[in-house]
Amino acid sequence: MSNIRFIANQKARQQTDKVDVSFLSCAEAEVVRGFFKTFEGYEPTPLVGLKGLAAELGVSSFYLKDESKRFGLNAFKVLGGGYAIAKHICRRLGVSIAEMSMERLCSAEVREALGEVTFVSATDGNHGRGVAWAANRMGQKSVIYMPKGSAVTRLENIRAEGAQASITDLNYDDAVRLAWKDSQEKGWVMVQDTAWEGYEEIPGWIMQGYTTLALEALEEFERQEGEAPTHVFLQAGVGSFAGGVQGLLAQRYGERRPVTAVVEPELADCIFRSAAAADGNPHFVTGDMPTVMAGLACGEPNTVGWSILRDYSDGYISCPDWVAANGMRILASPRPGDARVISGESGAVTTGIVECLMRMPDMAPVREALELDGDSRVLVISTEGDTDPVMYRKIVWQGAYPEIEG
């Protein structure tokens, strides 16, 4: 047995009283992308067609969106944090972000009108680096708290963007609570990609920011294939990224949207546990979450993201760390004719899970439930590159986290 767990969501295609996802519409996504187009160096990240891998897996096509190329930050997270910071500044200035450019946001005129703002966040690395990068370019300060066990390389990358950053002795969710406490006591602005009652607007802006990569991917997929993907696999931590992409899929395609599955590490599978509880409410993972997928090591779902994933996703998968490690090795050792992709632990887990589903005999019921077969056109998103170079080498070069049956 593979120790991979799956829950199908039959209601996703049946119920009509779904949560409203109009804030993730194609029109809103175009506004977001229009803002990012004003950034120096903006260009869509590559959508890589892996024909050899598709043939090996037995699917019609397999495409990977490579977010390691985003603004030189080796991860996608700046799309969320950067957009939320810009929206906050525009709100305070009383202007629409549709009329704002990055050049103007970085101007002395705006800094003088706004005054000094400190943005605070908790992160394992990628989100915090994006927040620090955006705040620094807009002439503002940032404070970043990281959970215990965070890679020193990620800490150094955040500090290099001008942030006051530190690794705490807390898990991720407690680091979020520390950031919230300081924001309330010190008048800082919290930019966090999780949400709870009373803190939903900024997380919603972050989710809107992520629609840029989804819109890019879907347009390029349709250009190359002539039609939309049939299946999209989305990794989840708190569910902000997955919820943002899922919402756009629902808005763009309606009832014809692709089959979607949410993938999480078994040591931090709060979305999976929430689905398993079957009461419609978010459920938590507590304590330490020592998964190698550091970017997904979150125990408390984003309430906004969870409601979207609850109502629109077709399945939820909880998997061991070796699935992500396999995905990294697969992408680093491409089939003839395929491009090599450097994907980190959280970025490669969706490639790893598709390979498991198509290869393993005990995964046949999951394949059938998801209607994953030789006609499937699969889209995955590699959300990060080798943001922890030491761990990347341990896994890809030295074979850490080998596949284990049990």
Side-chain angles (χ1 to χ4, degrees):
M1 296 294 292
S2 59
N3 288 336
I4 297 170
R5 296 178 292 161
F6 172 77
I7 297 172
N9 183 11
Q10 304 294 344
K11 295 181 179 179
R13 303 285 166 167
Q14 298 171 0
Q15 72 182 68
T16 57
D17 58 335
K18 294 182 172 69
V19 67
D20 179 27
V21 290
S22 59
F23 77 104
L24 297 167
S25 68
C26 293
E28 288 287 352
E30 288 288 8
V31 171
V32 178
R33 182 167 61 174
F35 170 68
F36 281 116
K37 283 183 176 179
T38 71
F39 282 45
E40 182 180 356
Y42 167 80
E43 60 181 35
T45 53
L47 184 70
V48 183
L50 300 174
K51 294 182 178 180
L53 181 58
E56 183 92 6
L57 298 179
V59 297
S60 176
S61 59
F62 188 97
Y63 285 83
L64 178 145
K65 177 77 163 164
D66 184 3
E67 284 296 304
S68 71
K69 311 298 184 184
R70 185 68 66 182
F71 293 125
L73 295 173
N74 211 12
F76 78 108
K77 285 283 193 173
V78 68
L79 294 175
Y83 188 69
I85 289 174
K87 282 278 284 189
H88 174 82
I89 292 174
C90 287
R91 170 74 61 81
R92 290 180 58 162
L93 294 175
V95 300
S96 169
I97 198 166
E99 303 168 1
M100 181 64 74
S101 68
M102 185 61 167
E103 181 180 6
R104 184 180 171 197
L105 276 173
C106 297
S107 68
E109 174 191 1
V110 165
R111 286 198 298 273
E112 183 177 348
L114 187 67
E116 186 176 277
V117 181
T118 297
F119 296 95
V120 62
S121 191
T123 180
D124 76 282
N126 295 337
H127 172 70
R129 188 180 185 187
V131 168
W133 183 88
N136 192 34
R137 274 150 186 77
M138 296 178 203
Q140 303 299 336
K141 295 183 177 180
S142 61
V143 176
I144 307 297
Y145 298 124
M146 303 181 71
K148 60 184 175 182
S150 295
V152 174
T153 298
R154 290 174 176 149
L155 172 67
E156 292 171 347
N157 285 336
I158 293 171
R159 286 176 172 170
E161 301 296 344
Q164 176 186 321
S166 59
I167 298 175
T168 70
D169 60 355
L170 307 170
N171 70 15
Y172 170 80
D173 300 291
D174 287 335
V176 169
R177 279 183 271 276
L178 175 61
W180 176 249
K181 174 178 175 289
D182 280 359
S183 74
Q184 298 301 291
E185 293 178 354
K186 301 178 181 181
W188 298 344
V189 178
M190 185 165 178
V191 181
Q192 200 63 46
D193 57 353
T194 193
W196 56 86
E197 186 175 351
Y199 183 73
E200 296 175 332
E201 185 174 54
I202 287 177
W205 293 342
I206 289 173
M207 293 172 71
Q208 287 179 322
Y210 297 153
T211 61
T212 290
L213 73 87
L215 198 60
E216 291 174 357
L218 295 171
E219 289 179 350
E220 182 63 15
F221 194 108
E222 292 170 3
R223 189 190 70 78
Q224 293 193 36
E225 281 287 291
E227 49 193 336
T230 61
H231 293 76
V232 181
F233 290 81
L234 299 168
Q235 54 271 67
V238 296
S240 180
F241 159 73
V245 176
Q246 179 71 82
L248 182 68
L249 290 172
Q251 286 284 289
R252 185 178 179 88
Y253 299 111
E255 292 305 311
R256 297 174 54 252
R257 67 184 182 275
V259 173
T260 50
V262 180
V263 186
E264 296 173 281
E266 63 181 357
L267 296 174
D269 54 0
C270 57
I271 303 296
F272 180 89
R273 295 191 193 193
S274 299
D279 60 7
N281 298 315
H283 290 261
F284 298 170
V285 178
T286 59
D288 293 341
M289 290 166 276
T291 172
V292 73
M293 292 172 261
L296 308 180
C298 311
E300 301 180 17
N302 173 333
T303 53
V304 178
W306 157 242
S307 63
I308 296 171
L309 300 174
R310 175 197 64 204
D311 289 356
Y312 292 94
S313 296
D314 296 283
Y316 314 91
I317 299 172
S318 173
C319 65
D321 282 351
W322 59 257
V323 174
N326 275 2
M328 294 168 67
R329 289 187 281 262
I330 289 166
L331 294 172
S333 305
R335 303 304 300 157
D338 286 353
R340 179 182 179 227
V341 178
I342 297 176
S343 182
E345 308 83 43
S346 299
V349 65
T350 46
T351 296
I353 201 65
V354 174
E355 190 270 343
C356 289
L357 296 183
M358 298 305 296
R359 169 173 58 88
M360 295 181 165
D362 65 314
M363 290 291 99
V366 181
R367 289 196 298 273
E368 294 170 7
L370 295 175
E371 300 180 348
L372 188 64
D373 55 31
D375 294 323
S376 298
R377 301 182 298 274
V378 177
L379 170 65
V380 302
I381 300 162
S382 177
T383 50
E384 64 174 0
D386 55 343
T387 55
D388 183 350
V390 174
M391 182 57 69
Y392 184 86
R393 291 187 180 188
K394 285 181 179 178
I395 291 172
V396 174
W397 291 17
Q398 299 164 14
Y401 297 93
E403 183 173 325
I404 298 173
E405 296 184 2

